[in-house]
Amino acid sequence: MLAGRTHVQKRARDPRPRRRIELTDAKAPPGAPTSLDPASIVRSRAYLSALVLAALLGIPISAIAYGFLALVGEIQTYLFVTLPADLFSGGTPAWWPVPWLMLCGLLVSLTIRHLPGTAGHSPALGFTTGSGPAASRDLAGIVLASLATLSLGAVLGPEAPLIAIGGGLAALTVRLVKKDAPPMAVTIMASAGSFAAVSTLLGSPLLGAFLIMEAAGIAGATLSLVALPGLLASGIGALVFVGMNSWTGLGSFSLALTTVPPGVEPTIASILWALPVGLLGALLGWAIRWLALTVRPLVHRNRVPVTVGLGLLIGLCATAYAVTTGREFSQVLFSGQSALPGLVANAANYSLGVLLLLGLFKALAYGLSLSAFRGGPVFPAMFIGAVLGIAVSGLPGMDLAPAIGMGIGATCCAMLRLPLTSVLLATLLMGTDGLKITPQVVVAVVVSFVVTAVLPTPGPDQPAAQREPAG
């Protein structure tokens, strides 16, 4: 469908006028540059058919993604709210998350060991989407491991599993419809499926699409070809999410702040504060990645007992926070997506000591979760960045809105190494006032990106660490 064209000409000694013959299936000579003509491809009947298919795929894939998120929410609510309320009259005990995190480690490790594939890529290696859609035989492992991770309290987000599930389902559909579909067609449809799956998760279909494209390194002519079906599927997916929420009443599952700090015009002081905030975000992200990559080889040596032990440690982090501060252990657990709005809305009620403990235990649980569990790195990074921003918001010349934006942007950039997406994550979250804090966020993100690039690679030797043993 998207094959390049090679032109063959008659030899010069042929007295007849030269005639150019287009061979759509011919291969370019070795080493010859290949190029795509987006305009002619977009006008083709095959591409228009791809747009229609992308719109059609957006409906069931978005519905599946909504159902997955709804199931995660229902399991979380039952296990950590309803069940302990039925069992304990004096409130949920602080140790309650420990056995569930250990069960989480057991289920995830057994899924990775015994099901095909590795239940998706390890989030310790960063946010990556450029390795192609998930194979159909790997989808069951991805669903089960991520469902256990997200439902039972590990500190990872749903964005990476949804992208893998959406892309894998779309690629499977294309191969079922047309077994000899060109690789580019499969890639485009897989991207559209991923777009649809995260269409409203980050608060905006455009933000989810931008995250996928920057992580995959899509640019040039390919960007135009992939973006149109993807954005179409994403728009359809957003409508499906809204419709499902209206129909079921289970929730929108879209990241949004219930109370947004008022934006203020940039000042010289706030711009200057962006430098140390960017540095702190980079160092914090480096420390979290160091913990994840250092523990990860231990997981590979004996996956099941080590992962169960890591679940125990994550549960103890939540318990320690609850005991020392008197606050809910749920602030340390889970992705932070549902806890972030409350954190920002009640920022004035957190002392500096509580914020430091929350950031410490959340970062420890995040690093341990990255090393062995399956999920995405975006939401925990945003939550920890918000904690950092609130902690420094009392500095002279610093206001709450730019402080939160800078903290989120710097920490996300250190963890994701996607500077443009990090700026958007921090500014769009703040709504219309996000435009006012953009200069400070940009400075903090740039500092974080440069410092992260200068710092040595954390953890053990990366080529060895990146191999996923079968066990």
Side-chain angles (χ1 to χ4, degrees):
M1 179 175 67
L2 303 174
R5 295 184 175 180
T6 303
H7 305 299
V8 181
Q9 295 180 339
K10 296 291 184 180
R11 294 183 179 179
R13 63 174 180 266
D14 192 335
R16 293 174 295 177
R18 293 184 178 180
R19 195 163 50 93
R20 190 174 66 182
I21 303 174
E22 295 184 351
L23 301 176
T24 56
D25 295 328
K27 294 183 179 180
T34 59
S35 61
L36 295 174
D37 182 5
S40 63
I41 293 175
V42 170
R43 289 193 297 266
S44 67
R45 181 177 179 180
Y47 191 79
L48 295 178
S49 299
L51 288 175
V52 174
L53 181 58
L56 294 175
L57 285 175
I59 298 174
I61 289 177
S62 300
I64 291 172
Y66 184 93
F68 179 83
L69 294 173
L71 179 59
V72 169
E74 289 295 313
I75 296 175
Q76 287 181 359
T77 301
Y78 177 75
L79 293 181
F80 293 93
V81 178
T82 304
L83 183 59
D86 293 339
L87 295 177
F88 307 101
S89 58
T92 305
W95 55 262
W96 183 252
V98 173
W100 297 112
L101 265 299
M102 296 178 68
L103 176 61
C104 179
L106 178 63
L107 294 177
V108 171
S109 59
L110 290 177
T111 300
I112 295 174
R113 168 171 287 186
H114 295 292
L115 290 185
T118 57
H121 79 280
S122 172
L125 302 178
F127 189 88
T128 58
T129 63
S131 57
S136 57
R137 68 186 186 92
D138 298 341
L139 288 176
I142 294 173
V143 171
L144 293 176
S146 58
L147 181 63
T149 295
L150 301 173
S151 302
L152 299 179
V155 185
L156 291 172
E159 70 284 349
L162 287 181
I163 289 172
I165 294 169
L169 290 176
L172 174 62
T173 302
V174 172
R175 294 189 179 103
L176 291 176
V177 173
K178 188 176 183 181
K179 295 183 179 180
D180 59 344
M184 179 62 78
V186 177
T187 298
I188 290 178
M189 288 300 101
S191 298
S194 297
F195 282 32
V198 294
S199 55
T200 63
L201 184 63
L202 296 173
S204 167
L206 289 178
L207 183 51
F210 201 92
L211 170 67
I212 296 172
M213 289 187 290
E214 187 179 16
I218 302 175
T222 305
L223 174 61
S224 301
L225 298 176
V226 172
L228 289 180
L231 291 175
L232 179 59
S234 184
I236 296 294
L239 293 176
V240 171
F241 267 66
V242 172
M244 294 289 288
N245 178 37
S246 177
W247 178 46
T248 64
L250 294 175
S252 63
F253 307 109
S254 178
L255 179 63
L257 296 181
T258 54
T259 302
V260 180
V264 294
E265 297 297 331
T267 63
I268 295 177
S270 62
I271 292 292
L272 292 177
W273 279 122
L275 301 175
V277 171
L279 175 62
L280 287 175
L283 295 176
L284 182 58
W286 187 92
I288 294 171
R289 291 171 56 215
W290 176 87
L291 175 60
L293 293 173
T294 300
V295 174
R296 190 164 175 264
L298 302 178
V299 176
H300 290 165
R301 294 192 188 108
N302 208 340
R303 183 176 295 276
V304 175
V306 172
T307 307
V308 172
L310 293 177
L312 170 63
L313 293 177
I314 295 169
L316 291 176
C317 286
T319 298
Y321 173 75
V323 170
T324 55
T325 65
R327 295 177 179 267
E328 296 181 357
F329 55 70
S330 60
Q331 293 182 334
V332 172
L333 302 181
F334 310 114
S335 68
Q337 176 187 359
S338 59
L340 183 58
L343 173 70
V344 175
N346 301 295
N349 298 329
Y350 286 83
S351 66
L352 180 60
V354 171
L355 288 171
L356 292 177
L357 287 175
L358 176 57
L360 172 63
F361 287 122
K362 188 77 172 185
L364 288 173
Y366 182 28
L368 296 176
S369 298
L370 287 169
S371 66
F373 296 85
R374 290 297 183 262
V378 175
F379 288 110
M382 295 182 68
F383 186 90
I384 293 173
V387 172
L388 171 62
I390 295 172
V392 302
S393 62
L395 294 171
M398 181 75 84
D399 291 289
L400 183 59
I404 292 176
M406 288 186 288
I408 292 176
T411 308
C412 286
C413 185
M415 294 303 302
L416 307 179
R417 283 151 288 173
L418 303 175
L420 300 180
T421 298
S422 299
V423 172
L424 291 177
L425 285 170
T427 54
L428 293 183
L429 180 66
M430 308 300 291
T432 55
D433 288 337
L435 294 176
K436 295 182 180 180
I437 66 171
T438 301
Q440 300 100 307
V441 173
V442 169
V443 173
V445 167
V446 169
V447 171
S448 177
F449 185 78
V450 172
V451 172
T452 301
V454 171
L455 289 173
T457 302
D461 180 60
Q462 287 301 297
Q466 289 180 9
R467 291 193 293 269
E468 285 277 6

